[in-house]
């Protein structure tokens, strides 16, 4: 049953990390949220329950971001549940790490499929279906500036995300839809902690001018700004990293 609401957001990767924090933050602003998940349905449903317990509105929908048919179903579900779509927050992505000389090409292709094709697929649908006044928020990474060894495939994929973002912002001229990318620095999420020793984590945190890792909530504040009041920010990559060089 279709029920209209003031503002509706799709958050890909909304079952955990930055995606979950963004979904909760947008819901706190009164936005109805479609919590997308790839494999962790239970965590997505937990996010939905947390939003509903706080008085918000949400549903969970699964799918592969790089599969255009599954993402079409995601957008259809959002419109059916809430009457339209205003915001896309695309946090879903993968980050296998290895030196370029050692990374197998199958892994490289998987990173590009999820991170680049996935962004293209959901951005294309958003460009076709977001209402006027809408916002697309993609996710890049501060590693494109920091050039950290081991991140070659991931940084390459996010460089492509930035290109898609900046061009789409210009292509949507006259539509009153903003398109930006958030580029977090090291952030305390399972994706970041994977494969790192405590010594490595402590060293990365200490190197930041703020002497800590970012939190998903830190990033979600910027997402909420771009998704709502930040209407004069368009075609930009925002580095949200506590001052990392």
């Amino acid at each position: 049953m279709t029920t209209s609401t003031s503002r509706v957001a799709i958050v890909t990767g909304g079952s955990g990390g930055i995606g979950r924090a963004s979904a909760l933050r947008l819901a706190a602003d009164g936005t109805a949220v479609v919590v997308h998940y790839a494999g962790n349905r239970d965590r997505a449903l937990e996010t939905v329950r947390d939003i509903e317990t706080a008085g918000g509105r949400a549903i969970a929908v699964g799918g592969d971001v790089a599969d255009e048919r599954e993402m079409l179903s995601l957008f259809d579900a959002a419109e059916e549940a809430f009457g339209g779509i205003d915001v896309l927050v695309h946090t879903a992505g993968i980050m296998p790490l290895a030196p370029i000389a050692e990374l197998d090409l199958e892994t490289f292709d998987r990173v590009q499929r999820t991170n680049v094709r996935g962004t293209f697929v959901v951005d294309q649908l958003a460009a076709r279906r977001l209402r006027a006044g809408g916002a697309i928020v993609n996710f890049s990474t501060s590693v494109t500036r920091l050039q950290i060894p081991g991140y070659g495939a991931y940084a390459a994929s996010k460089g492509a995300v930035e290109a898609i973002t900046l061009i789409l912002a210009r292509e949507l001229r006259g539509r009153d839809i903003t398109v930006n990318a958030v580029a977090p620095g090291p952030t305390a999420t399972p994706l970041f902690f994977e494969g790192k020793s405590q010594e490595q984590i402590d060293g990365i945190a200490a190197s930041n001018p703020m002497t800590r890792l970012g939190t998903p909530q830190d990033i979600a504040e910027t997402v909420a700004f771009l998704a709502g009041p930040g209407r004069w920010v368009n075609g930009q990559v925002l580095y949200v990293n506590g001052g990392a060089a």
Side-chain angles (χ1 to χ4, degrees), residues 46-231:
E46 180 184 334
T47 302
V48 168
R49 285 194 297 272
D50 288 346
I51 290 172
E52 291 177 339
T53 298
R57 305 174 65 203
I59 60 171
V61 182
D64 174 1
V65 293
D67 186 312
E68 65 273 25
R69 292 173 297 276
E70 293 185 14
M71 290 302 96
L72 181 62
S73 295
L74 170 69
F75 277 71
D76 286 346
E79 290 187 344
E80 182 178 352
F82 299 121
I85 308 164
D86 303 286
V87 177
L88 168 69
V89 178
H90 180 48
T91 77
I94 59 173
M95 191 176 68
L97 303 181
I100 290 170
E102 300 172 13
L103 185 73
D104 66 87
L105 291 178
E106 183 180 347
T107 300
F108 178 84
D109 289 344
R110 185 162 56 88
V111 172
Q112 307 315 309
R113 181 183 184 278
T114 299
N115 295 357
V116 181
R117 180 186 168 93
T119 299
F120 197 94
V121 166
V122 297
D123 277 13
Q124 184 178 74
L125 287 165
R128 293 170 176 172
R129 298 176 70 165
L130 258 59
R131 296 183 287 208
I136 297 171
V137 183
N138 290 324
F139 267 74
S140 181
T141 173
S142 289
V143 176
T144 56
R145 280 186 171 181
L146 300 176
Q147 296 100 37
I148 302 171
Y151 285 78
Y154 180 70
S157 74
K158 294 304 187 177
V161 168
E162 292 186 9
I164 292 168
T165 300
L166 302 183
I167 290 171
L168 183 57
R170 277 73 186 175
E171 290 179 346
L172 294 183
R173 177 184 179 88
R175 290 274 306 280
D176 190 24
I177 295 172
T178 61
V179 190
N180 295 287
V182 175
T187 305
T189 67
L191 192 64
F192 171 77
F193 290 131
E194 186 175 342
K196 294 183 177 69
S197 68
Q198 189 60 50
E199 183 179 7
Q200 288 174 310
I201 293 167
D202 292 343
I204 292 169
S207 70
N208 192 287
M210 303 294 282
T211 67
R212 66 173 177 85
L213 297 175
T215 68
Q217 291 73 28
D218 290 327
I219 312 305
E221 288 298 327
T222 300
V223 169
F225 170 71
L226 293 174
R231 300 306 303 164

